[in-house]
Amino acid sequence: MNVTLHIRGPYESRSVEVIGELSIGRSDQADIAWSDDGLSRVNTTFFIDNDELWVADENSTNGTFLNGEQIQGRPRPLRNGDRVTIGSTTEIEVSIGDERRSDPYQNAFPSSIPTEHPQKPITPAAPTAWPSPAAGNEDGPPLVVIASVIMTLAILLLGGLAYFIVSRMDDPSTSGPGGKPRTTASAVIPTRVIDPLGGEDENDLDDLISSWEVAETELVASDVSDVTVASAVDEEMELNVSAEFLADRQRKAMEPRNGPTGIKHPDLNVPDELFGDGVIKQKRKLAQMNSTGYRQPMDFADLAEKRMSGELIEMPMATESFYLDVGGSAQDRPFQSFSFKDGTPEIVPGHPKYDTLKRLADNFAGQRFDLGNAADRKQMRRRLLRMFQPRARPILKELADHYHQRFGRPLRVTSLTRSMDYQILLNQGNANSFKVRGEGSLPPHTSGCAFDLARKHMTIEEQNYLMQKLAAMEREGRLDALIEYGVNACFHIFIYHDGQAPGRLALSSVTPDTFPFLAELSFE
């Protein structure tokens, strides 16, 4: 059985033969490692069983679609010419048989995967009119035709048998323990064992890349209080920003464009630097931070401590060249401490963290907040979510200034630093967010070194300009940048906390006490 898959993405196309079984995903755990951040590590598998080609979704995050219809549950049989879409931009056409087209893409694929995935109509082939003996074909239909008819009847018979087996498998009376279908080695419909996590390891940064980009509720400028700072430090005086100026920057950033926009477009020129090699770099740097004693902020009191110590600095909520769309999901409830062991007790007088919060609230760079006031607590949380690693500040400013000089608009920054409890809060409302499993988990935004730049509203020209700038800065060893697709499409940027691009990590310097989940990570 000759089977060829013609795989196409926006930057690469190739044809591969299926012999037995072939899987596609974004990691080297798949037979074909494909550059598409929307793919799971092992996303989709094609396999041959009883001279038929089947496709199975490995419980991937973004699904597998056959002719526009999502595959769910059991594998689906494939026909010649079927089209499968996976990930964010990957499209596959199936060729079965000896015939090969000179150009497998002569019928153009759509430029992007449609949002609504319409069902592809199937047009039945017209019946073939065979010449009669009177027309000069005295032998009637050739033997190959008779054989084809017999084979067709056999296929129909097997199809009926398959339908019977499937219906019996769905019948509770034929189910095994826990409602799982009973299967036998001779079943006509092959049943594959599918990992319920889709091969995802939520303690592995490689998997977090595809799921951590969760947008907060969009910030409403009228709900944000002015920042009035009285400080002898020049950088803190830059924090004096009014809600009116923030609203002006929002309007300017989101104003209608004249050119084409979109997160998936044939004219997007994504440099190699913005693909998945950053996963390795970020894993190494995050592990290094933990091995050298970095304490991630578990709650807002920890963010307050880092601000007062100078480990993290506050960024102005808006400048001419950027604005921070962060803190939209901040709550006004009383502050709570957080640990995986002790839960979330309220921080009240006498609590070990109360004095830290109280000292900052009494003098937040000259501005005072009342911990007993709900509105003050909300605004204080928003200011704490504007914390950033000091080395990252000039890099964000450089990017924003270049972009503003070229296009006359400010960059929209959609996340800076998050405490662990704030990340968990986002998890509760969004199934696609990073799922915090326990002590040792390190979402990149709790490091203080990561920030995101929204791009859905940008023109293709704007995105290409920023990507070239990011790629140049990455080649200089100043940062790592990744392009993210999906609902919260952005450029995810990670700054090296010590100014050093990662080398090979000396694992001998890392202990389970400093990084408990390192056993789950794979360092290439």
Side-chain angles (χ1 to χ4, degrees), residues 219-229 239-247 314 317-318 327 367-369 373 375-383 386:
L219 200 63
V220 178
S222 61
D223 188 41
V224 178
S225 65
D226 298 344
V227 177
T228 55
V229 168
L239 301 176
N240 276 302
V241 178
S242 67
E244 182 181 0
F245 182 69
L246 171 64
E314 184 180 357
M317 64 180 174
Q367 190 169 9
R368 187 180 185 281
F369 294 95
N373 181 281
D376 279 8
R377 290 193 297 263
K378 187 172 186 177
Q379 300 305 332
M380 190 171 172
R381 279 185 171 94
R382 284 177 171 164
R383 287 190 64 175
R386 299 171 193 152

Side-chain angles (χ1 to χ4, degrees), residues 61 63 161 182 187 268 337 389 484:
T61 300
L161 178 60
R182 299 183 186 278
L268 274 178
S337 67
Q389 220 278 340
E484 297 293 334

Side-chain angles (χ1 to χ4, degrees), residues 73-135:
R74 298 184 183 86
R76 296 276 294 277
L78 294 173
R79 303 174 182 176
N80 185 48
D82 278 346
R83 293 185 178 183
V84 175
T85 55
I86 58 178
S88 298
T89 57
T90 303
E91 298 163 331
I92 304 164
E93 185 171 2
V94 177
S95 292
I96 301 176
D98 295 328
E99 295 184 4
R100 293 288 184 271
R101 290 183 296 170
S102 59
D103 179 6
Y105 303 112
Q106 61 184 357
N107 296 322
F109 284 104
S111 60
S112 64
I113 299 173
T115 302
E116 294 299 327
H117 304 293
Q119 174 67 45
K120 177 181 176 182
I122 301 175
T123 305
T128 303
W130 292 101
S132 65

